[in-house]
Amino acid sequence: MKVLKKFDGALTGAAIALSLTAASVGTAAADTIKVGVLHSLSGSMAISETTLKDTMLMLVEQQNAKGGLLGKQLEAVVVDPASDWPLFAEKARELIEVEEVAAIFGSWTSVSRKSVLPVLEELNGLMFYPVQYEGEESSKNIFYTGAAPNQQAIPAVEYLRDELGVERWALLGTDYVYPRTTNKILAAWLADNGVAEEDIMINYTPFGHSDWQSIVSDVKAFGSEGKKTAVVSTINGDANVPFYKELGNQGISADDIPVVAFSVGEEELSGIDTAPLVGHLAAWNYFMSVDSEANDDFIDAWLEFIGDEDRVTNDPMEAHYIGFNMWVKAVEVAGTTDTDAVVDAILGVSVPNLSGGYSAMMPNHHITKPVLIGEVQDDGQFDIVWETPGLVPGDAWSDFLPGSKDLISDWRAPLSCGNFNVVSGSCGGGS
Amino acid sequence: MMNVRGGTLPPVFFQRLWRAVLLGLAVCFSPVQAADLPDALQSALEDLAGRDKVLRLEAVERIANSGTEESEALLQVILSGELYHWKPEDRFVRGEKDGRKFILYALEDGAELATVGRREAKKVSINNTLRGAVKSALATLDLIAPDPAKRLAGVRAQFAALAVPVERIDALLESESDTAVRDSLVTLRAMTLVSDETASGEPLMTAIAALGNSTEPGALTPLKGRFERSDDDAEKSALSSAIKAFESRQARFGMVKQVFFGLSLGSILVLAAIGLAITFGVMGVINMAHGELIMLGAYTTWAMQQLLPGQPGVALLLAIPMGFMVSASVGMVMERFAISKLYGRPLETLLLTFGFSLILQQAVRTFISARNVAVSNPSWMSGSLELHPMLSLTMNRVVIMFFCLAVFAVLWWVMQRTRFGLQLRAVTQHREMARCVGVRSRRIDTLTFGLGAGLAGLAGVALSQLGNVGPNLGQAWIVDSFLVVVFGGVGNLWGTLIGGLGIGVATKLIEPWSGAVLAKVLLLVAVILFIQRRPRGLFPPSGRSAGDN
Amino acid sequence: MSAANRRPVSRSGGERSLDTSHGTVLYLEGLSVSFDGFKAINDLSLYINDGELRCVIGPNGAGKTTLMDIVTGKTRPDEGEAWFGQTLDLLRLDEAAIANAGIGRKFQQPTVFTELTVAENLELAMAGNRNVLSVLRAKLSGEQRDLIASTLERIGLVALRDMNASTLSHGQKQWLEIGMLLMQQPRLLLVDEPATGMTHQEMAQTGELLCSLAGDHSVVVVEHDMDFVRSLDSPVTVLHQGSVLAEGSLDAIQSDPLVRSVYLGE
Amino acid sequence: MNRYLSAVLADRMGVVLLTVLLVSAVWVPIASLVLPASHPLHMGSYSVALWGKYLCFGLLALSLDMVWGKLGILSLGHGVFFGLGGYVMGMYLMRQVGDRGVYGDPILPDFMVFLNWDELPWYWFGFDHAWIAFPLILIVPGLLAYVFGALAFRSRVTGVYLSIITQAMTYAVMLAFFRNELGFGGNNGLTGFFDILGYDLREDVTRAALFSATALSLAGCYVLCRCLFATRLGLLCTAVRDAESRVRFLGYRTDRVKLSVFVLSAAIAGLAGALYVPQVGIINPGEFSPLNSIEIVIWVALGGRGTLWGAVVGAVVVNVAKTQFTGWLPEGWLFMLGGLFVLTTLYLPRGLAMLVPKRVSGS
């Protein structure tokens, strides 16, 4: 029985000790400002997100080289939520509560952001979200530096219609919320613009779909009926390579049926044999091939930081660049990293983006960006073939969805509401 | 037109000649001089570099019709995306990318001008529409190219626009001697006629009938278009019967295609599963690292292509033995140092191999890259194999299908006809007895596991030609692989082959009406129910011992 | 014969009222079964009388074990009939139902539950309601404890009562399985090679036990060991290539020229 | 009762586990609510939620050990029951949101509004009432287990065949739940919860209460399992595990034995899922992924299969290791985790339970 007691004690002791280790770490350093980096370094999303972690480390290093922030050095706290959505919430809680970070830069998928959101709102944390998404959200605690649908999807479709004379549309997507919502918005937009129902084909495939034979063959048939046809692709990550390969092998070239993609960027192309993709399109707010001083500087710094001449830059990296600089500027204005003060100070803050202009944070926590259309080149870069004349402000609530067309977001006092219903005049979306 | 087959004059001569004739211009044979671009081209290029889309489109036409000698070469430069604006000199040049630098050449004589950084050279980009215009301008030139294949492509390129006048086609037909080109020209003529609103009477009826019997996929469009617009009853009935004939032929080929799609998917499943059929099916190791062994094969292909830049085909062929060996050696190391300690405790192999799977995955992430790597397809694995104008099969899938059958055949031979195969079967059937007759069972175990792992490597080499090569590659295949092996019957190679092909074909037959997501769900449910009917798979292992537990 | 064998425990559920009005407990008629083209049983007919002790002998591959498999529901014949008593069609029942109807079996390879103790093995085999809820609620009554104790005594494993069955020797496992058969209190016992791995003395005990069971129970013994068969002094059925070759007393069988030619190779 | 009590007490490590659970069920609320934040033993919401999650996983591991360790059914699809329990809880929590969603629709959850659903699908009705939803936490996974088990066990699908079709089942359910048409929020799943039984999920009190509920559920289920396996049915399970066909010849319907324990196990897994969701704040189809289910098997194997308490310890150890490793070595933790699995199998074939000397464990 003696042994037994020892065990009992040891186990309880171990349990308590473990539960406290996390707590004791956080209290150590107070002379730095901590920045949380919440990107998956393992699991299915590591392919995309690892780069963003490196981007953040670079930005933090650059800022420190410039003398830090508010006289303190910045310290990046990197955690790995491992592409596991509940883990995003847990790690966000750890970052805010235990590590006491001033802001989090992170998330890629919508579901990871949705998972983190309640934690941010509960603990009044701050997060900058750098990826294009389906919109329909505006939280006090999140800043959306990626594109909303009106900053990517709609201009792209406009371009196809006006510049390439496309009349038939195949909307292909992976079966999850972003493609579903984007396609809903696009279908509504196309219908408003007089496209008949039989000229729209919608198809969804599972994550990581690798067998595109039948679908590509259907698209080919769909496109061979005389009218100029284009594919609008919201196909996610891993499924893209086999899709484009099949397209090329079945003899569909970009002149016949151009594909415009919203989730294929330089980073994705760097893992692809680009030969079958040449001439296909992507819509983003930034391309590595953008011709500007700021971009050249950024690329130089990135290549030096990562120590690999073959690496590329992409849109979400620019989003972090913009987001980080906005945060820095807001903290400088506010003189503190306190969430409420920063949230107030950041509205209207305008910082250079990499395409030669300035992006501003708007009251709905989205930013203004130019929209660019690029064609894939055989070197994995995009050739910019079109861009919006000015900046497009991000729209949190789409005008093309019945549920959200009456909603606006404005975090300025006195409204201070992310989902204000202009019909009923009340905050909370209800009518 | 004369047919140039291995002609005595250099083809370039003919090209130049015919192009000059086409453009209706005097031909200048004098050597190209280092001179400025003709003004017409210079101004067209300035428009092309501008932003006005109408002007840009016109600029292409102006270049094509400029009649200058440089126009074709210039169009090629534009098409290949090598046209640059050299900013400091304000001059249009051809640029080649060299790392992060650009080497600039003069458009006029190809002389190398300078090597500049990104900031000095601005690419004159063209978009889809412009590329189409350039291609169609070049294709028109191809119509009278000396090479029949080129002429054929030139004719086919006209199917979409139908911009060549009938008289012109007739003239071409007169001088054409190649049957394939003639057939295409006839189709083109019929398509042009049918879509010509003013055509009528006998020629039109003949054209409609010709399209009805045509095998050209694009033939349906003009028929349908005219059917919608037409108000002549006789014309309408002719059109509708032509459409019907065409569509029924199309449907027949569609069915064949669907089955091919299924067999192709199936052969990939078989390839992915066949290694597991050895490690799991024959040896009983619940090998969760199977996916990662596949991944290693794919990375080997990538590595070979890195070692042999510019030779993707050779690299791919070399990757077949290399991929086998890399995965096999990793597998044998795993077996020798870990799995061998666990025989008789099959469930624990699950834990062990899962550990290995995590380690291998992270190793690739750490030592190569967390991102996907690019594996290119050699030319003989891109494009399609045209069996019939209405039935073309993609090359990579055809090759992989044969590869799968070859792998299976070799494996079958090894298992049935070699001494190693005999010993392997002896050990798995009765270890003690095999030992008694002098089989070194430990060694056979290691080799067998190596064989299974090596087969996974081969699957990886094949999969690298179809999709992503990245750290997650293996995970995408592990569930399907286990399913195929179990569905076919554990321990039965034929079961794996038939099971894999069966699942592939079934998926492709369900997919058209259910969609890809639901097809997969339905198929999983079907396999679950099938296992209820036949609890030991398609080909149950036979023998007394099989009946226990 | 000891008291323990006279069904001291009333059977719960009363499901075992077997109609043996014609005096026959097991009818097998025209059975055939083949595996992958090999005819293991070929048009076999066999009748076992109520309370009879019968030996079945035959060379390897004669179909002895397959016969037992058919009776206990493990194997379904391709054709033929198998009835237990007048009314129970064995071909319609699964293993559990057949066991519950009163047919017990001892396997050629003794099969006991190695992770359970000897007593627990017997407890599981003990006759009683087999449905899940009853098993969940089941508790050993004093009477049942006595039954287990007396059976342990009969099979000579009293001292090993709380040992894991995995620790038993081959012969002890044979005994344990016979004990389980006794606990099951079947109407018909199918005993496959009970003497294997036993000493001469044990063999004699086994023979005695089996003989004592006959009368109240019907017993079918499959055996190779001719001495053991002789000791049972019961009618013998000879199987050859899946059918009945001869039936009769051992002496009559041994003098049958046909049997001698196939069985003894003469 | 006597026999059950002695069965529980006989396993000393189990007693240790129970003690720890009961103590922590009382201690954690004190540490997080009563002790001031500056106190060294204070537990923040992060730690409470974290340990709550570990215990949910412990409960899940326990449910798997019931069928794998005790009955020999290696389920590679136990995540499906966990996930379904989680979804039932998620649906209840979603309906509790009411008109506080971003669109302010009093009935429809946000994801339905923005995908233009007109009305609540029939299978969502009733989930606003706890008295309907909570029993379903056990019933829904139990029902799936019943249907699946009834088919599989009757057809005598065993061994690896059974394992692989359980895997196929969870894979199929995952793909189905990814579909937005199914009406469970697709890839995003269900999230953005406000309160449970009227208590705000963001309050420390609620969190502490959920933790205690989890600890007590785990303790309760452990005792339940111990008692169950102390009955004759427990003996029967062991017999089925070791020689199923022999059991049939004794007259037992082994399919029903397996089915009943499998259903019970599924219900416990569902309970674990239901406790998990309010503590982590999200449920999505990722929980159904085959890899998650394999991980559960790993926990049990690592802790010590068949010991019940070992499964719980395994789940907690692996997850604590994950949390710690991801913190220390965000880019190399998979090496450590993978290495842990490899070394354990090689040197501790019966799991961590082997480390406990027999005379201590008492079993």
Side-chain angles (χ1 to χ4, degrees), chain D residues 252-273:
Chain D
Y252 292 98
R253 298 214 170 272
T254 55
D255 54 332
R256 293 191 192 158
V257 175
K258 286 158 85 173
L259 186 58
S260 47
V261 178
F262 192 61
V263 168
L264 180 65
S265 160
I268 293 180
L271 175 65

Side-chain angles (χ1 to χ4, degrees), chain D residues 115-254:
Chain D
L115 289 175
N116 307 358
W117 291 58
D118 295 327
E119 55 179 21
L120 211 58
W122 60 269
Y123 44 81
W124 273 77
F125 281 106
F127 277 89
D128 43 343
H129 302 294
W131 60 271
I132 294 180
F134 284 12
L136 286 174
I137 288 167
L138 306 177
I139 293 171
V140 172
L143 202 63
L144 175 68
Y146 182 83
V147 172
F148 181 86
L151 278 169
F153 299 143
R154 262 189 88 89
S155 327
R156 300 192 186 167
V157 183
T158 53
V160 291
Y161 291 90
L162 186 71
S163 302
I164 298 302
I165 63 168
T166 54
Q167 188 175 51
M169 169 179 69
T170 192
Y171 192 41
V173 170
M174 177 181 85
L175 290 173
F177 271 71
F178 267 128
R179 284 165 57 82
N180 282 279
E181 283 102 338
L182 204 65
F184 295 113
N187 174 54
N188 280 8
L190 308 175
T191 180
F193 310 129
F194 284 90
D195 43 33
I196 181 169
L197 295 169
Y199 296 98
D200 190 340
L201 279 170
R202 299 162 186 212
E203 294 286 336
D204 283 346
V205 187
T206 319
R207 236 188 284 280
L210 278 168
F211 175 88
S212 298
T214 312
L216 294 176
S217 303
L218 179 52
C221 288
Y222 173 79
V223 171
L224 177 76
C225 288
R226 268 283 163 251
C227 295
L228 176 74
F229 290 114
T231 65
R232 189 183 291 170
L233 187 63
L235 299 183
L236 195 55
C237 288
T238 312
V240 167
R241 181 187 71 193
D242 295 338
E244 182 178 352
S245 59
R246 184 68 183 89
V247 179
R248 270 191 224 117
F249 291 109
L250 287 180
Y252 292 98
R253 298 214 170 272
T254 55

Side-chain angles (χ1 to χ4, degrees), chain A residues 211 238 249 255 267 300, chain B residues 100 128 135 371 384 468 508:
Chain A
D211 194 273
D238 270 1
N249 286 336
D255 316 324
E267 184 81 6
D300 289 339
Chain B
R100 293 175 64 202
N128 251 298
K135 274 191 179 169
R371 301 165 312 137
S384 324
N468 299 289
K508 285 294 153 184

Side-chain angles (χ1 to χ4, degrees), chain B residues 512-524:
Chain B
W513 60 268
S514 69
V517 188
L518 205 56
K520 190 135 200 199
V521 175
L522 288 176
L523 211 85
L524 288 167

Side-chain angles (χ1 to χ4, degrees), chain A residues 197-233:
Chain A
E197 208 168 300
E198 71 261 21
D199 285 336
I200 301 176
M201 161 186 174
I202 299 185
N203 185 292
Y204 294 105
T205 40
F207 280 95
H209 191 65
S210 61
D211 194 273
W212 288 93
Q213 305 179 82
S214 339
I215 293 165
V216 166
S217 153
D218 289 351
V219 168
K220 197 175 173 183
F222 183 73
S224 69
E225 289 176 25
K227 292 181 179 170
K228 177 74 177 170
T229 305
V231 173
V232 178
S233 155

Side-chain angles (χ1 to χ4, degrees), chain D residues 302 317-318 321 325 335-345:
Chain D
L302 190 110
V317 166
V318 172
F325 290 169
F335 286 127
M336 308 192 56
L337 199 65
L340 179 69
F341 295 158
V342 171
L343 294 179
T344 315
T345 349

Side-chain angles (χ1 to χ4, degrees), chain B residues 386-427:
Chain B
E386 194 179 276
L387 296 180
H388 183 270
M390 292 187 124
L391 182 70
S392 37
L393 309 178
T394 50
M395 271 314 289
N396 58 351
R397 289 180 185 273
V398 173
V399 172
I400 285 172
M401 225 149 97
F402 281 106
F403 181 64
C404 167
L405 293 178
V407 167
F408 187 82
V410 170
L411 179 61
W412 189 250
W413 179 79
V414 167
M415 296 288 280
Q416 299 297 325
R417 293 276 181 275
T418 62
R419 193 173 166 74
F420 166 68
L422 182 70
Q423 291 179 333
L424 189 164
R425 283 178 294 142
V427 169

Side-chain angles (χ1 to χ4, degrees), chain C residues 51-64:
Chain C
E52 183 187 8
L53 171 63
R54 174 79 64 91
C55 284
V56 176
I57 62 172
N60 268 335
K64 303 182 298 278

